[in-house]
Amino acid sequence: MGLLNKLDNIESFETGNFVFSTVESLLNWGRLSSIWQMGFGLACCAIEFMAANASNFDMMRFGVIPRPSPRHSDVIIISGTVTLKMATRVKRLYEQMPDPKYVISMGSCSNCGGPYWEHGYHVLKGVDRVIPVDVYVPGCPPRPEALLEGLIRLRDKVRHQSLSKA
Amino acid sequence: MQELVDHPTTEAQVELIRSGKSLRSEEMTINMGPQHPSTHGVFRVELVLDGEQVVDAIPHLGYLHRCFEKHTEAMTYPQVIPYCDRMDYLGAMNNDWGYALAVEQLMGVQVSEKVEYIRVIVGELNRIASHLVGGIGTYGLDVGAFTPFLYCFRDREIILNIFEKLCGARLLYNYVWVGGLSHDIYPTFLDEIESFCGQFRNTIREVNELLTGNKIFTTRTKKVGVITKEVAINYGISGPMLRASGVKWDIRRDDRYSIYDRFDFEIPIGNDNDGALIGDCYNRYWVRMREMEESLRIVEQAVRDCRKTPTLMQGDVQKDVPKRIKPASGEIYSRTETSKGELGFYIISANGTNPYRVKVRPPCFVNLSILPDATRGYYVADLIAIMGSFDFVMGEVDR
């Protein structure tokens, strides 16, 4: 029961097998411990994103499992430059995901256009113009550690979200 | 091995399917991508299928068009280098090098021996890193082998750590400058490379054990996606793909640049281990495996040379960097061999601090043009194996 001890508002009895919690914190705990991400790479950041998934950084220890379909996934990591042609597809993919859904914007390009902000006539200046973003990870490209930090911030956000207030 | 299905590879056979004289089902058009885990980025193919067989594959590009050529017109010459990084982001060092070489030739700048040696070392290490990701790691992933991916990324991290100590970046380096390098080497640079070389042969052996002789892998890749020598030359493809079809062509040897004439290395061509050379997916994979060994040989020779003459590694790496980069009016086409193939830069200068025009000849774009021809008649499942073996990077295809 080691993990359950980390829940908020929890009480347990020394001798019995009872655990008290609120529905809210139990649900949130479940959600934050198995954030399934959409296996979706856009540009350079996707390589660092792959590195974060691979041996040295091992993102799967946080319960993050790549899924090939948006319909299976909880989080979409926008890893790279979103062009105008791609923006409509990104929006459609986001809309296909079931609620609750989260967005991590990885790298300067998807945060604000990055190095292409001035002369990039075909680059969307920030993915937040198309879909709502929960966590922004800066860097060009961000290191895998930075992405992991972004993920941990997302877990914090999920941990404290309320069922009653949307 | 059981003879694989007789893939209709000729136009006539495809016509036969289409005409309805063979067993035929309704043609179906299916969209693959731009979001597909095996398209290596944002690439979309429109597939015309007859049952499971591919009748036609129509590629759609432009999902990662980042206006490279427009940027070059607005930037000064050195400012273009970071954008070169972001074209082929798996082999950023080689891209920088190609661009820097073109501008150096345009200006008539000669760089020092030390810079040349460091460039060769980082370029070849980056080639290994690129093959570890694109040609082998994710290729195994595409055809269903997950473990080699983890092994490849483990060793890639060692190379990236060396680069990070060298220039502060893991992936996009901006290291090779016009006339020099951004940073000097750090004291233990050569030692770390030597220790990497020592253990990397072991990794190659491990990957060979996991992938090269693997029955599932060979069944999925042998005799799939055959590109004959003539077709390969006619399409103008280059790099490991061309060599897999049996053409011994490598710009490092055939149109020498830098100091590649000092090193002893082979140009591997496709070899099926049974003696047959047919330019299939397995050949393309195998050429990349062999190329990593050859790159390792070059790195070892370069490090040995640096050790032999201690004066070689002395001096300022920015000694030859021009104070003001403003080439006289003129134009230049310069090509280098990156991990994907022939990367050419065509630069027109109008005697300004910005290039008047930069045109890139990207290897991936040209290599990808063969896709409809190479996939016609194969099964949908083979399509993944074929596309993976091309090892294209969309950043370079769309630019």
Side-chain angles (χ1 to χ4, degrees):
Chain A
M1 300 310 263
L3 273 174
L4 276 177
N5 293 338
K6 291 183 184 162
L7 286 177
D8 300 337
N9 316 323
I10 191 154
E11 288 174 51
S12 60
F13 296 101
E14 289 289 315
T15 50
N17 292 323
F18 291 95
V19 173
F20 282 98
S21 173
T22 59
V23 176
E24 195 175 86
S25 45
L26 190 67
L27 264 180
N28 287 346
W29 171 73
R31 273 174 189 158
L32 72 91
S33 310
S34 69
I35 299 181
W36 286 6
Q37 52 117 339
M38 210 175 101
F40 172 55
L42 278 164
C44 332
C45 290
I47 306 297
E48 289 296 62
F49 169 51
M50 268 156 61
N53 269 312
S55 10
N56 284 36
F57 299 99
D58 189 20
M59 202 152 71
M60 283 183 200
R61 64 193 142 132
F62 297 109
V64 178
I65 300 172
R67 303 300 300 179
S69 164
R71 292 170 208 279
H72 300 173
S73 40
D74 303 308
V75 62
I76 180 170
I77 300 179
I78 310 292
S79 54
T81 316
V82 185
T83 60
L84 298 183
K85 193 172 179 178
M86 196 62 204
T88 51
R89 271 75 176 176
V90 169
K91 182 153 177 66
R92 176 172 294 179
L93 286 172
Y94 175 74
E95 282 167 355
Q96 283 177 349
M97 286 165 61
D99 279 323
K101 51 192 174 185
Y102 307 98
V103 179
I104 295 179
S105 162
M106 180 186 182
S108 297
C109 285
S110 65
N111 290 349
C112 62
Y116 305 98
W117 68 276
E118 195 178 3
H119 303 287
Y121 54 81
H122 190 238
V123 176
L124 188 73
K125 311 296 184 300
V127 75
D128 49 7
R129 298 189 183 199
V130 188
I131 55 175
V133 176
D134 291 289
V135 178
Y136 295 89
V137 182
C140 187
R143 302 173 52 86
E145 291 97 323
L147 181 60
L148 293 183
E149 169 72 16
L151 187 77
I152 290 165
R153 292 293 174 91
L154 182 68
R155 284 160 61 96
D156 283 344
K157 182 171 177 173
V158 176
R159 183 176 285 126
H160 295 118
Q161 73 189 3
S162 162
L163 277 182
S164 50
K165 285 175 281 180
Chain B
M1 196 175 68
Q2 167 213 339
E3 189 59 37
L4 292 175
V5 193
D6 49 335
H7 297 300
T9 42
T10 62
E11 286 292 332
Q13 280 165 313
V14 174
E15 274 311 304
L16 190 72
I17 295 173
R18 280 187 160 165
S19 68
K21 282 173 191 156
S22 72
L23 188 63
R24 180 178 178 279
S25 56
E26 193 92 337
E27 260 181 24
M28 189 164 48
T29 308
I30 280 190
N31 179 52
M32 181 179 168
Q35 180 266 322
H36 189 281
S38 295
T39 50
H40 292 218
V42 280
F43 177 49
R44 178 174 159 226
V45 207
E46 199 181 317
L47 298 171
V48 183
L49 303 177
D50 174 29
E52 284 268 311
Q53 275 176 326
V54 180
V55 176
D56 206 358
I58 306 154
H60 292 269
L61 304 177
Y63 290 96
L64 195 55
H65 175 56
R66 296 193 283 192
C67 333
F68 172 78
E69 288 172 15
K70 179 71 190 166
H71 279 89
T72 58
E73 289 164 24
M75 303 285 161
T76 62
Y77 282 92
Q79 281 174 341
V80 173
I81 295 176
Y83 292 91
C84 297
D85 276 332
R86 282 154 185 78
M87 276 199 315
D88 175 3
Y89 35 79
L90 288 179
M93 286 286 186
N94 286 304
N95 280 28
D96 292 354
W97 194 4
Y99 173 77
L101 207 65
V103 180
E104 279 160 18
Q105 284 175 11
L106 190 61
M107 296 179 72
V109 174
Q110 191 68 40
V111 299
S112 66
E113 287 274 293
K114 177 181 179 179
V115 172
E116 293 280 26
Y117 267 100
I118 298 173
R119 281 183 183 182
V120 166
I121 291 172
V122 295
E124 294 305 318
L125 282 178
N126 206 189
R127 192 185 306 274
I128 294 174
S130 163
H131 283 335
L132 279 177
V133 182
I136 290 148
T138 55
Y139 187 45
L141 213 55
D142 285 348
V143 296
F146 192 78
T147 317
F149 169 75
L150 299 174
Y151 280 67
C152 290
F153 266 73
R154 181 195 63 193
D155 275 53
R156 178 174 172 268
E157 288 295 329
I158 303 172
I159 300 179
L160 297 195
N161 284 342
I162 293 174
F163 286 165
E164 196 182 355
K165 281 188 189 174
L166 201 57
C167 58
R170 274 168 53 88
L171 192 66
L172 308 171
Y173 311 105
N174 187 16
Y175 183 62
V176 180
W177 281 4
V178 177
L181 304 166
S182 72
H183 294 75
D184 203 342
I185 56 170
Y186 57 94
T188 54
F189 178 67
L190 294 177
D191 302 330
E192 281 180 22
I193 287 173
E194 270 174 347
S195 82
F196 168 75
C197 291
Q199 68 135 102
F200 188 65
R201 286 190 202 285
N202 200 20
T203 305
I204 293 182
R205 216 191 58 237
E206 279 176 346
V207 174
N208 274 336
E209 280 169 6
L210 280 169
L211 213 52
T212 313
N214 189 321
K215 178 78 179 162
I216 303 168
F217 181 71
T218 49
T219 313
R220 284 211 63 182
T221 52
K222 277 190 183 178
K223 298 184 186 166
V224 169
V226 175
I227 300 171
T228 59
K229 201 172 180 175
E230 289 72 31
V231 174
I233 292 172
N234 287 345
Y235 270 93
I237 64 176
S238 54
M241 273 184 74
L242 181 67
R243 293 192 278 277
S245 296
V247 187
K248 246 189 175 174
W249 173 259
D250 190 319
I251 295 168
R252 287 176 294 170
R253 186 197 63 169
D254 295 306
D255 184 12
R256 281 195 167 132
Y257 58 96
S258 188
I259 48 166
Y260 275 111
D261 48 348
R262 296 184 197 175
F263 304 115
D264 172 36
F265 62 100
E266 303 221 333
I267 314 291
I269 59 169
N271 179 357
D272 230 349
N273 298 341
D274 328 323
L277 165 79
I278 47 173
D280 57 5
C281 291
Y282 183 81
N283 285 159
R284 288 193 277 279
Y285 157 79
W286 182 240
V287 163
R288 294 198 178 96
M289 285 299 285
R290 290 285 317 282
E291 237 176 51
M292 294 203 303
E293 287 174 35
E294 297 304 325
S295 293
L296 207 58
R297 275 179 67 193
I298 296 176
V299 172
E300 279 172 347
Q301 289 172 46
V303 171
R304 205 178 52 218
D305 286 358
C306 297
R307 292 268 193 231
K308 228 188 300 179
T309 33
T311 49
L312 197 64
M313 281 290 123
Q314 283 163 13
D316 184 8
V317 286
Q318 296 189 355
K319 178 164 59 79
D320 302 309
V321 176
K323 291 279 168 297
R324 189 147 175 258
I325 299 180
K326 193 179 171 192
S329 298
E331 55 187 55
I332 187 96
Y333 179 77
S334 153
R335 56 183 181 174
T336 52
E337 181 83 21
T338 68
S339 52
K340 310 289 184 296
E342 174 184 336
L343 174 74
F345 279 98
Y346 178 58
I347 303 177
I348 301 178
S349 162
N351 195 24
T353 50
N354 296 4
Y356 179 72
R357 179 87 171 82
V358 177
K359 170 81 179 76
V360 186
R361 185 255 186 234
C364 294
F365 177 68
V366 182
N367 289 355
L368 192 58
S369 67
I370 205 169
L371 183 80
D373 215 350
T375 53
R376 203 165 289 148
Y378 292 96
Y379 290 107
V380 181
D382 294 338
L383 190 78
I384 306 296
I386 296 170
M387 282 205 313
S389 75
F390 284 12
D391 183 19
F392 53 85
V393 168
M394 286 317 283
E396 202 173 51
V397 176
D398 291 337
R399 299 187 298 292

